[in-house]
Amino acid sequence: MIVRSQPSFQDIIFTVHGSILPRIARRLAAIAVVSVIAILAAQAHPGIFARISTIPFTLIGIALSIFMSFRNNACYARWWEGRQLWGELIISARSFARETSLLPDEDRRALLHSICGFACGLTARLRGEDEIAAIAPWVDIGPATKSPNVTNLVLDRMGRRLLELKQTGVITPIHYAVVAEDMRSFGKVQGACERISTTPVPFAYSLLLHRTALIFCVMLPFALAGSLDWWTLLPVLLTAYTFFGLDALGHELEDPFGVEPNCLPLYAMKRTIERDMLSLLGEEDLPPPLEPHKSVLS
Amino acid sequence: MIVRSQPSFQDIIFTVHGSILPRIARRLAAIAVVSVIAILAAQAHPGIFARISTIPFTLIGIALSIFMSFRNNACYARWWEGRQLWGELIISARSFARETSLLPDEDRRALLHSICGFACGLTARLRGEDEIAAIAPWVDIGPATKSPNVTNLVLDRMGRRLLELKQTGVITPIHYAVVAEDMRSFGKVQGACERISTTPVPFAYSLLLHRTALIFCVMLPFALAGSLDWWTLLPVLLTAYTFFGLDALGHELEDPFGVEPNCLPLYAMKRTIERDMLSLLGEEDLPPPLEPHKSVLS
Amino acid sequence: MIVRSQPSFQDIIFTVHGSILPRIARRLAAIAVVSVIAILAAQAHPGIFARISTIPFTLIGIALSIFMSFRNNACYARWWEGRQLWGELIISARSFARETSLLPDEDRRALLHSICGFACGLTARLRGEDEIAAIAPWVDIGPATKSPNVTNLVLDRMGRRLLELKQTGVITPIHYAVVAEDMRSFGKVQGACERISTTPVPFAYSLLLHRTALIFCVMLPFALAGSLDWWTLLPVLLTAYTFFGLDALGHELEDPFGVEPNCLPLYAMKRTIERDMLSLLGEEDLPPPLEPHKSVLS
Amino acid sequence: MIVRSQPSFQDIIFTVHGSILPRIARRLAAIAVVSVIAILAAQAHPGIFARISTIPFTLIGIALSIFMSFRNNACYARWWEGRQLWGELIISARSFARETSLLPDEDRRALLHSICGFACGLTARLRGEDEIAAIAPWVDIGPATKSPNVTNLVLDRMGRRLLELKQTGVITPIHYAVVAEDMRSFGKVQGACERISTTPVPFAYSLLLHRTALIFCVMLPFALAGSLDWWTLLPVLLTAYTFFGLDALGHELEDPFGVEPNCLPLYAMKRTIERDMLSLLGEEDLPPPLEPHKSVLS
Amino acid sequence: MIVRSQPSFQDIIFTVHGSILPRIARRLAAIAVVSVIAILAAQAHPGIFARISTIPFTLIGIALSIFMSFRNNACYARWWEGRQLWGELIISARSFARETSLLPDEDRRALLHSICGFACGLTARLRGEDEIAAIAPWVDIGPATKSPNVTNLVLDRMGRRLLELKQTGVITPIHYAVVAEDMRSFGKVQGACERISTTPVPFAYSLLLHRTALIFCVMLPFALAGSLDWWTLLPVLLTAYTFFGLDALGHELEDPFGVEPNCLPLYAMKRTIERDMLSLLGEEDLPPPLEPHKSVLS
């Protein structure tokens, strides 16, 4: 995630890093080439081009804007829901720690370490890394590596431990019910993150919008070359920059758990949970919070 | 569901499978024929066509885009709600398994198998298949086949079993209340899926938008033929492709539980539940996860 | 509710039933007459009409589309919320039946019959029919007909019965708390349905949009007649059809509990609840589900 | 609130009451004067005005429509949330009455009267009337008039009474927990109503949109006068009516608890609660429901 | 927060304070300079400029409006969610006070003071002030200043105190569960506020929209100068004012916890909580509510 929110004037002119520009540079270049061809053709055969009406392009362009805004809305909503889920994870972790503060020290330590392990495992799972290795520093999950969902196994063990604490009378049944709500919340966060991660926006939407945007931007210079001559390049490139840029940005937000600059900072949020849990366990030697690298927090 | 999220350049040009193109090919061809007629007519009687203003078409076209975007929003929201409901089913199944982990083995096995039966029955019910046959491998529902809702019957039996466990003291009343929340969640998922499945977007919306889009695309070539000549085909077909495509796609998402390429992968999600439940029961010989066939997960 | 979701080609051309066309036919005819007057006037005084710019009409037309889309969104959201509430009623009824499955037979029968009476009373209340007569087959509410809200009285009696069952020890306090959540849900459904039913979209919105749409459609032919001659009729009628149609449809969805073709099928959903409750009571002689009449489910 | 939902044809032409027209009449008159000036100027200096392009006005007008629709959405959402909150108040009041139906008569009467007092106090608070006087007929709050929030004090006394009932064993702890949820709901309704009432839509939005709309409507006649002559008045006034009307309506809905015609009928809803509570207490002599006065329910 | 909601006519013309004007004045001046250059150039070389079509500008302008409206929606939603969270804090604080009204005086006083400390700490944390100093007047957090999250520590101590009260039998386990829900709500408010505060709208969105808006406004005068001459300034400045203004306003709402005029009045809401808590503790000497300074409540 890029931690700056408002671009300064210099940013507007010069920023490339964090911008969507590098990802669409090749497509912009192709459109520029097409524009030059259109301009040269218009200079050679002015009669034909003068007759081309720009009105249908206005119509298609506005329709395209409306549909692209719809897709961007959907992608942004996924990104924001992803952030809300991780926020809920942080909230529930703190609540869990608060509710268990009078448990025997050892039990509590094991449970809060399990939460750290759960957060590490979820991060690894969503980013396609090795779940077992990520969990190992916090929880000893033993040789049960055949499970298709090791992160859920961590949660399962926590739940079993809590049930045992209830059966041995360490926590009352009603207190168990209160704590179970946090457990439910952890499970919900994992399930919902997996849902976002495995279910892309319907492919046919992306394909339809890509195709229309590409054909539109290829056709636009032919419509404008007759009247604008070399000036054609400006509105064509500005339009292409906006459409391709929003399209590429929507794609980046569609999977909010990736490692691209605009994705969510899972590592930093995982570290926040670790610091919160260790601090509530009374430890003073906390791992440092993650710092943004070139304004990007991963 | 198509598991690819971002089309590559080759996809944009060549992909047909997963695209909405095959479903609207006939309508596009019809519009092309109408366009050719309009062009020939314009060449024969240039005087008449030169006078046709394209402005009303911009107006109608933009209005149509706005209303079509509204319908697409509604259809996409149904699709995404369907996915969220199945996500909740997965989450609640795991939570249920966690909460029952200290039950006697046989009771727990019967309950988790019932969840698998419930997921299979719901899949069959939503896809118009044989519910009883789908449930049979997991639960023996006996000869009670007169019930109008066999899937709900599975849930009802689970609930009755839990109440008996409570009455015999195997689980405490408060623990029962915690588990009852998962049961409520299962019931909610079924009811909400049935709601989406049986309640289409108001027919008059679809009809109104279909009619307006069709008349618009039939009239458009007559407005452009006067000035664009044979180039008329390009903007007309691009417009028709976008409008008909979004319309067809909206229709595909409207019933998210169908078997078309962009529908939700109920079979794969059902299998995820089966694998999770069996793995949490300690079994190691799990059925394999469903793999996408030609990028489509069913 | 019209049970077909996607119009076929024949539907697009010929369907009248279920379409919004009959409701707006008179207004469309009026606009056609105005258009003819405009065309004849333009033929008589071509000089004046040639000067009329169509640009302000594009502006007003697009603004109108945006505002009408906003009202349609609000109306559709009411319709869908109404459907969700009835879905919740079905879900909670099943959940209630599940939670009470170990009650003494007579008590359970009385409670589930009360749910049927509640659903019947709510249907009658929302459709302006006789609540007491609708409830009578299921619950004997006695001569207490002075109550301003008989449907709520059914719920109140159920609640009182449950409290008595708790006081006599038939159900434990915690089980009572679980069941009370379903009772709360029933009350919420009734209150929210009454809210939608008694609170229309602000009258000034409907009036403002009606007025603007009408004036716009009356003025449009005068702007186009100069250049389009008799062709004026086509875009004018298409525009009027779209605007008046969406307006009439929005109005039909605004009160989702009415008896017009696009309203919600309260009778059919009430029957679903009756069938579910009777089936869960073990009865085999269920009333048949409601079938759509000419594709309309009421 | 205006209780009619769909304007008839006569309404569309003649209705003034309930319409937004009176509130914007002065602004419309000013725009008409400006238009006449523009027309006369165009007749005097036709050369200058013929050159003015209307295209930038289309651009600004559409942008303005989009942004105004955004503000209207926000205002309508506030109005509807206000209505939902009062609906929740009605629902929770009935639920509270149901849950307390086996309490000793005197205790129950005091509690339900407190709910009436709470509803009256909240109405007075939101409409800037005397809270203490409004509450007095139902609850004796004593000389504790120094409290900054008398309505919350009513709730606080109810909560204290319930706690005492729990401590003396009249209600069980678990039953207390069930009833506490209704109490929480009352508190939530008050807090959320205060939030809507004290937090307007950001002032800068209203100011920006007002300014743009005003400047736009003042400039529009100068753009059209050159080509439309006296006809200029029609599109200019229609545009101004739509923009100013939506702006004024948005403002009316922004504070849904006011006393303007399109605001929510707090008095009528308060009366509904009073009637429900008294009827559930077994009283037969209920205050009459509020009737709309000239179609307006206050 | 600016406490006026509807600008008067004088406001529309003259208001600067609270307006977004000062923040965008420099950019508007730059656009004015560019416009003058364009006009002079058009007067010098009328031939070139006459050929520039304004149609592509309509297209880009509308697309920009749609995308900017999308970003404004997202920013407004953040602002409103921030307000809802603080509203929930107020609601939960009152509910907590109600639920603890029969506790021993000293315990209750300490707990309600902790809520005030929590509100003060959260305010300081969100506004980048000294948390420890803000909390000190209400709670003695001791020398535990190494904690990375002092505000959460206040909550943690409250939770621990409640657990002790439960263990010593001062509150029953079920009552503890009721109060724990308010504690959970406090934790949720803090976590969600931190989420909004640390996660800006994706930087690439802001950058893309800034760039497009800037280039568009720089290019617009060249398109209009040919036909509008010195009148060019009016539509160009109006467009720039609207686009830059909405952009700047969106940025101000993006971080709703800041200290700019349109941000949320955290200090005033914190004071409301203090007054409510002290008043419910029976104190009569309350700190005065915050008054707006030049219409701005901070």
Side-chain angles (χ1 to χ4, degrees):
Chain A
M1 193 186 66
I2 301 167
V3 293
R4 293 179 305 175
S5 80
Q6 183 74 340
S8 68
F9 188 74
Q10 284 83 337
D11 287 336
I12 294 175
I13 308 296
F14 299 112
T15 299
V16 170
H17 179 74
S19 155
I20 212 70
L21 209 50
R23 296 190 51 155
I24 60 173
R26 289 204 319 182
R27 272 182 280 173
L28 283 184
I31 294 296
V33 170
V34 171
S35 299
V36 170
I37 294 171
I39 294 163
L40 295 177
Q43 290 174 337
H45 308 281
I48 298 176
F49 281 77
R51 289 169 58 195
I52 298 182
S53 162
T54 54
I55 298 252
F57 290 90
T58 306
L59 164 59
I60 300 175
I62 296 177
L64 196 54
S65 305
I66 294 171
F67 298 134
M68 200 158 268
S69 151
F70 158 64
R71 176 162 171 270
N72 260 278
N73 248 317
C75 290
Y76 175 75
R78 292 164 62 93
W79 180 83
W80 191 233
E81 192 192 353
R83 182 61 186 85
Q84 283 176 314
L85 290 168
W86 274 81
E88 189 176 334
L89 181 52
I90 295 174
I91 293 166
S92 296
R94 288 178 188 160
S95 166
F96 188 94
R98 195 168 58 236
E99 290 295 345
T100 55
S101 55
L102 295 193
L103 277 195
D105 235 39
E106 199 181 344
D107 288 324
R108 195 187 180 215
R109 180 171 306 274
L111 286 168
L112 297 202
H113 279 200
S114 292
I115 291 177
C116 295
F118 175 74
C120 293
L122 186 55
T123 304
R125 190 173 175 82
L126 293 173
R127 294 208 157 153
E129 295 161 4
D130 183 354
E131 280 178 77
I132 297 177
I135 294 168
W138 294 105
V139 193
D140 175 20
I141 42 162
T145 51
K146 287 220 172 160
S147 163
N149 195 333
V150 187
T151 302
N152 186 45
L153 204 65
V154 175
L155 217 55
D156 206 61
R157 298 262 173 93
M158 277 177 76
R160 197 179 285 253
R161 189 84 198 93
L162 282 171
L163 282 168
E164 285 163 2
L165 289 173
K166 188 188 73 163
Q167 283 200 334
T168 53
V170 178
I171 54 175
T172 60
I174 288 170
H175 197 183
Y176 173 80
V178 172
V179 176
E181 221 159 294
D182 291 317
M183 292 300 292
R184 196 184 296 279
S185 170
F186 293 143
K188 183 199 140 194
V189 169
Q190 180 184 358
C193 284
E194 286 174 9
R195 161 168 58 79
I196 293 176
S197 177
T198 61
T199 312
V201 167
F203 179 69
Y205 266 124
S206 307
L207 189 60
L208 187 73
L209 286 173
H210 261 76
R211 276 189 178 152
T212 309
L214 188 70
I215 301 176
F216 177 77
C217 288
V218 165
M219 279 163 56
L220 189 60
F222 292 92
L224 300 179
S227 63
L228 290 182
D229 207 16
W230 285 102
W231 292 105
T232 299
L233 277 170
L234 245 83
V236 166
L237 285 182
L238 184 58
T239 309
Y241 170 63
T242 311
F243 280 168
F244 290 164
L246 280 168
D247 190 77
L249 184 50
H251 178 59
E252 210 163 284
L253 298 184
E254 190 183 348
D255 179 16
F257 306 123
V259 291
E260 287 159 297
N262 288 297
C263 292
L264 293 172
L266 297 199
Y267 295 141
M269 291 192 286
K270 182 191 73 177
R271 178 61 54 89
T272 299
I273 294 174
E274 289 171 346
R275 281 167 57 84
D276 276 356
M277 292 303 103
L278 290 176
S279 149
L280 291 171
L281 281 171
E283 301 202 12
E284 301 214 334
D285 190 20
L286 306 177
L290 251 64
E291 293 298 331
H293 177 68
K294 289 190 185 170
S295 295
V296 174
L297 203 60
S298 59
Chain B
M1 193 187 66
I2 301 168
V3 292
R4 293 180 303 176
S5 80
Q6 182 75 340
S8 69
F9 188 74
Q10 285 84 338
D11 287 338
I12 295 175
I13 308 295
F14 298 114
T15 299
V16 171
H17 179 74
S19 155
I20 212 72
L21 210 50
R23 295 189 52 156
I24 61 172
R26 289 204 320 183
R27 272 182 279 175
L28 284 184
I31 295 296
V33 170
V34 170
S35 299
V36 170
I37 294 171
I39 294 164
L40 295 177
Q43 290 175 336
H45 307 282
I48 298 175
F49 281 77
R51 291 169 56 195
I52 299 182
S53 160
T54 54
I55 298 251
F57 290 89
T58 306
L59 164 60
I60 300 175
I62 296 176
L64 196 54
S65 304
I66 294 171
F67 299 135
M68 199 158 268
S69 152
F70 159 63
R71 175 163 171 270
N72 259 279
N73 249 317
C75 289
Y76 175 77
R78 292 164 62 92
W79 180 83
W80 191 233
E81 192 193 353
R83 182 63 186 84
Q84 283 177 313
L85 290 168
W86 274 81
E88 188 176 334
L89 181 52
I90 294 174
I91 293 166
S92 296
R94 288 178 189 161
S95 166
F96 188 95
R98 195 168 57 236
E99 291 295 344
T100 56
S101 56
L102 294 192
L103 277 195
D105 235 40
E106 200 181 345
D107 287 324
R108 197 188 179 212
R109 181 171 305 274
L111 285 169
L112 297 203
H113 279 200
S114 291
I115 291 177
C116 294
F118 175 74
C120 292
L122 186 55
T123 305
R125 191 174 174 82
L126 293 172
R127 293 208 158 153
E129 296 162 3
D130 184 353
E131 280 177 75
I132 298 177
I135 294 167
W138 293 106
V139 193
D140 176 19
I141 43 162
T145 52
K146 286 219 172 164
S147 163
N149 196 332
V150 187
T151 301
N152 186 44
L153 204 64
V154 175
L155 216 55
D156 207 60
R157 298 263 173 93
M158 279 177 76
R160 196 178 287 253
R161 189 83 199 93
L162 283 171
L163 282 169
E164 285 163 3
L165 289 173
K166 188 188 74 165
Q167 283 200 335
T168 53
V170 179
I171 54 175
T172 60
I174 287 169
H175 197 183
Y176 173 81
V178 171
V179 176
E181 222 160 295
D182 291 316
M183 293 300 292
R184 196 185 296 277
S185 170
F186 294 143
K188 183 200 140 194
V189 169
Q190 180 183 358
C193 284
E194 286 175 9
R195 160 167 58 79
I196 293 176
S197 176
T198 61
T199 312
V201 167
F203 180 69
Y205 267 124
S206 306
L207 189 61
L208 187 73
L209 286 173
H210 261 75
R211 276 189 177 152
T212 309
L214 188 70
I215 299 177
F216 177 77
C217 288
V218 165
M219 278 164 56
L220 189 59
F222 293 92
L224 300 180
S227 63
L228 288 182
D229 207 15
W230 285 104
W231 291 105
T232 299
L233 277 170
L234 245 82
V236 166
L237 285 182
L238 185 58
T239 310
Y241 170 65
T242 311
F243 280 169
F244 291 163
L246 280 168
D247 190 78
L249 184 50
H251 177 58
E252 211 164 281
L253 298 184
E254 189 183 349
D255 178 15
F257 305 124
V259 291
E260 287 161 296
N262 289 298
C263 292
L264 292 172
L266 297 198
Y267 295 140
M269 292 192 285
K270 181 191 73 178
R271 179 59 55 86
T272 299
I273 293 174
E274 289 171 346
R275 282 168 57 84
D276 276 355
M277 292 302 105
L278 291 176
S279 149
L280 291 170
L281 281 171
E283 301 202 12
E284 302 214 334
D285 190 20
L286 306 177
L290 251 64
E291 293 299 331
H293 177 68
K294 289 188 185 171
S295 296
V296 174
L297 204 60
S298 59
Chain C
M1 193 186 67
I2 300 169
V3 291
R4 293 179 304 176
S5 79
Q6 182 74 341
S8 68
F9 188 74
Q10 284 83 339
D11 287 338
I12 295 174
I13 308 296
F14 300 113
T15 300
V16 170
H17 179 74
S19 154
I20 212 73
L21 210 51
R23 295 189 52 156
I24 61 174
R26 290 204 320 185
R27 272 182 280 174
L28 283 184
I31 295 297
V33 169
V34 170
S35 299
V36 170
I37 293 171
I39 294 164
L40 294 177
Q43 289 175 337
H45 307 283
I48 298 175
F49 281 77
R51 292 169 54 196
I52 299 181
S53 160
T54 55
I55 298 252
F57 290 90
T58 305
L59 164 60
I60 300 175
I62 296 176
L64 196 54
S65 303
I66 294 170
F67 299 135
M68 199 157 269
S69 151
F70 159 64
R71 175 163 171 269
N72 259 279
N73 249 318
C75 289
Y76 175 77
R78 292 164 62 92
W79 180 83
W80 191 233
E81 192 193 353
R83 182 62 186 85
Q84 283 176 314
L85 290 168
W86 273 81
E88 188 176 333
L89 181 52
I90 294 174
I91 293 166
S92 295
R94 288 178 189 161
S95 166
F96 188 94
R98 196 168 57 237
E99 290 295 344
T100 56
S101 55
L102 294 192
L103 277 195
D105 235 41
E106 202 181 342
D107 287 324
R108 196 188 179 212
R109 180 172 306 275
L111 286 168
L112 297 203
H113 279 200
S114 291
I115 291 177
C116 295
F118 175 73
C120 293
L122 185 56
T123 305
R125 190 173 173 83
L126 293 173
R127 292 207 158 153
E129 297 163 3
D130 183 354
E131 279 178 78
I132 298 177
I135 294 168
W138 294 106
V139 192
D140 177 20
I141 43 163
T145 52
K146 287 220 172 160
S147 163
N149 195 334
V150 188
T151 301
N152 186 45
L153 204 65
V154 174
L155 216 55
D156 206 61
R157 298 264 173 92
M158 278 177 76
R160 195 179 287 253
R161 188 83 199 93
L162 282 171
L163 282 168
E164 285 162 3
L165 288 174
K166 188 189 72 164
Q167 283 200 335
T168 53
V170 179
I171 53 176
T172 60
I174 287 170
H175 197 183
Y176 173 81
V178 172
V179 177
E181 220 159 296
D182 290 317
M183 292 301 293
R184 194 183 297 276
S185 170
F186 294 143
K188 182 200 140 193
V189 169
Q190 180 184 357
C193 284
E194 286 174 10
R195 160 169 57 78
I196 293 177
S197 176
T198 61
T199 313
V201 167
F203 180 69
Y205 267 124
S206 306
L207 189 61
L208 186 73
L209 286 174
H210 261 76
R211 276 188 177 153
T212 311
L214 188 71
I215 300 176
F216 177 76
C217 288
V218 165
M219 278 164 56
L220 188 59
F222 292 93
L224 300 180
S227 64
L228 289 182
D229 208 15
W230 285 103
W231 291 105
T232 299
L233 278 170
L234 244 83
V236 166
L237 286 182
L238 185 58
T239 309
Y241 170 65
T242 310
F243 280 168
F244 290 164
L246 280 169
D247 188 80
L249 185 49
H251 178 58
E252 212 164 279
L253 297 184
E254 189 184 348
D255 178 16
F257 305 124
V259 291
E260 286 161 297
N262 289 298
C263 293
L264 292 172
L266 297 198
Y267 294 142
M269 291 191 285
K270 181 192 74 178
R271 179 59 56 87
T272 298
I273 294 175
E274 290 172 346
R275 282 167 57 84
D276 276 355
M277 292 302 104
L278 291 176
S279 150
L280 291 171
L281 281 171
E283 300 202 12
E284 301 213 334
D285 191 21
L286 306 176
L290 250 65
E291 293 299 330
H293 177 67
K294 288 189 185 171
S295 296
V296 175
L297 203 61
S298 59
Chain D
M1 193 187 66
I2 300 168
V3 291
R4 292 179 306 175
S5 79
Q6 182 72 342
S8 68
F9 188 74
Q10 284 83 339
D11 287 337
I12 295 174
I13 308 297
F14 299 112
T15 301
V16 170
H17 178 75
S19 155
I20 212 73
L21 210 50
R23 296 189 52 155
I24 60 174
R26 289 203 321 184
R27 272 182 280 172
L28 283 185
I31 295 297
V33 170
V34 171
S35 299
V36 170
I37 295 170
I39 294 164
L40 295 177
Q43 289 174 338
H45 307 283
I48 296 175
F49 280 77
R51 289 171 56 197
I52 298 181
S53 163
T54 55
I55 298 251
F57 290 91
T58 306
L59 164 60
I60 300 175
I62 295 177
L64 195 54
S65 303
I66 293 171
F67 298 135
M68 199 158 268
S69 150
F70 158 65
R71 176 163 172 269
N72 260 278
N73 248 318
C75 290
Y76 175 76
R78 291 164 63 93
W79 180 82
W80 191 233
E81 193 193 353
R83 182 61 186 83
Q84 284 177 314
L85 290 168
W86 274 81
E88 190 176 333
L89 181 52
I90 295 174
I91 292 167
S92 296
R94 288 177 189 162
S95 166
F96 188 94
R98 196 168 56 237
E99 290 295 344
T100 55
S101 54
L102 295 192
L103 278 195
D105 236 41
E106 201 181 343
D107 287 324
R108 194 186 180 215
R109 180 172 306 277
L111 286 169
L112 298 202
H113 278 200
S114 292
I115 292 178
C116 294
F118 175 72
C120 293
L122 186 56
T123 305
R125 189 172 174 82
L126 292 173
R127 292 209 157 150
E129 298 162 3
D130 183 354
E131 280 177 77
I132 297 176
I135 294 168
W138 294 105
V139 192
D140 176 20
I141 42 163
T145 50
K146 288 220 172 161
S147 164
N149 194 333
V150 187
T151 301
N152 186 45
L153 204 65
V154 175
L155 217 55
D156 206 60
R157 298 264 172 93
M158 277 177 76
R160 195 179 287 253
R161 188 85 198 89
L162 282 171
L163 282 168
E164 285 162 1
L165 289 173
K166 188 188 74 163
Q167 282 200 335
T168 53
V170 179
I171 55 175
T172 60
I174 288 170
H175 197 182
Y176 173 80
V178 172
V179 176
E181 221 159 296
D182 290 317
M183 293 301 292
R184 194 184 296 276
S185 170
F186 294 142
K188 182 200 140 194
V189 169
Q190 181 183 357
C193 283
E194 286 174 10
R195 161 169 56 81
I196 293 176
S197 176
T198 60
T199 313
V201 168
F203 180 68
Y205 267 124
S206 306
L207 189 61
L208 186 73
L209 286 174
H210 261 76
R211 276 188 178 154
T212 310
L214 189 71
I215 300 176
F216 177 76
C217 289
V218 165
M219 278 163 56
L220 189 59
F222 292 92
L224 299 180
S227 64
L228 289 182
D229 208 16
W230 285 103
W231 290 105
T232 298
L233 278 170
L234 244 83
V236 166
L237 286 182
L238 184 58
T239 308
Y241 170 64
T242 310
F243 280 167
F244 291 164
L246 280 168
D247 189 78
L249 184 49
H251 178 58
E252 211 165 281
L253 297 185
E254 191 183 349
D255 178 16
F257 306 123
V259 291
E260 286 161 297
N262 289 298
C263 292
L264 292 172
L266 298 198
Y267 294 142
M269 292 192 286
K270 181 192 73 178
R271 178 60 55 87
T272 298
I273 293 174
E274 290 172 345
R275 281 168 56 84
D276 276 355
M277 292 302 104
L278 290 176
S279 150
L280 291 170
L281 281 171
E283 300 203 12
E284 301 214 333
D285 191 22
L286 306 176
L290 251 66
E291 294 298 331
H293 178 67
K294 289 189 184 171
S295 296
V296 175
L297 203 61
S298 58
Chain E
M1 193 187 64
I2 301 167
V3 293
R4 293 179 306 173
S5 80
Q6 182 73 343
S8 68
F9 188 74
Q10 284 82 337
D11 286 337
I12 295 175
I13 307 297
F14 300 112
T15 299
V16 170
H17 178 73
S19 154
I20 212 71
L21 210 50
R23 297 190 50 155
I24 59 174
R26 289 203 320 182
R27 271 182 280 173
L28 283 184
I31 295 296
V33 170
V34 171
S35 299
V36 170
I37 293 171
I39 293 163
L40 296 176
Q43 289 174 340
H45 308 282
I48 297 176
F49 281 77
R51 288 170 58 196
I52 297 181
S53 161
T54 55
I55 298 251
F57 291 90
T58 305
L59 165 60
I60 300 174
I62 296 177
L64 196 54
S65 304
I66 294 171
F67 298 135
M68 200 158 267
S69 151
F70 158 66
R71 177 164 170 268
N72 260 278
N73 248 318
C75 290
Y76 175 76
R78 291 164 63 94
W79 180 82
W80 191 233
E81 193 193 352
R83 183 60 186 84
Q84 282 176 314
L85 290 168
W86 274 81
E88 189 176 332
L89 182 52
I90 295 174
I91 293 167
S92 296
R94 288 177 188 161
S95 165
F96 188 95
R98 195 168 58 237
E99 290 295 343
T100 55
S101 55
L102 295 193
L103 278 195
D105 236 40
E106 200 181 344
D107 288 323
R108 195 187 180 213
R109 179 171 307 275
L111 285 169
L112 298 201
H113 279 200
S114 292
I115 291 178
C116 294
F118 175 72
C120 293
L122 186 56
T123 305
R125 190 172 174 82
L126 293 173
R127 294 208 157 153
E129 297 161 4
D130 183 354
E131 280 178 78
I132 297 176
I135 294 168
W138 293 106
V139 193
D140 175 20
I141 43 163
T145 50
K146 286 219 172 160
S147 164
N149 194 334
V150 188
T151 301
N152 185 46
L153 203 65
V154 175
L155 216 54
D156 206 60
R157 298 264 171 92
M158 276 177 77
R160 196 179 285 254
R161 188 84 199 92
L162 282 170
L163 282 168
E164 285 162 2
L165 288 174
K166 188 189 73 161
Q167 283 200 335
T168 53
V170 179
I171 54 174
T172 61
I174 287 170
H175 197 182
Y176 173 80
V178 171
V179 176
E181 222 159 295
D182 290 317
M183 292 301 291
R184 194 183 297 276
S185 169
F186 294 142
K188 183 198 140 194
V189 168
Q190 181 184 358
C193 284
E194 285 175 9
R195 161 169 56 80
I196 292 176
S197 177
T198 61
T199 313
V201 167
F203 179 69
Y205 267 124
S206 306
L207 188 61
L208 187 73
L209 286 174
H210 261 74
R211 275 188 179 155
T212 310
L214 189 71
I215 300 177
F216 177 77
C217 288
V218 165
M219 278 163 56
L220 189 59
F222 293 92
L224 299 180
S227 64
L228 290 181
D229 208 15
W230 286 103
W231 291 107
T232 298
L233 277 170
L234 245 83
V236 166
L237 286 182
L238 185 59
T239 308
Y241 170 63
T242 310
F243 280 168
F244 291 163
L246 280 168
D247 190 78
L249 184 49
H251 178 59
E252 210 164 283
L253 298 185
E254 190 183 348
D255 178 16
F257 307 123
V259 291
E260 286 159 298
N262 289 298
C263 292
L264 293 172
L266 297 198
Y267 294 141
M269 292 192 285
K270 181 192 73 177
R271 178 60 55 89
T272 299
I273 293 174
E274 290 172 346
R275 281 168 56 84
D276 277 355
M277 292 303 103
L278 291 176
S279 150
L280 291 170
L281 281 172
E283 300 202 12
E284 301 214 333
D285 190 22
L286 306 177
L290 251 65
E291 293 299 331
H293 177 68
K294 288 190 185 170
S295 296
V296 175
L297 203 60
S298 58

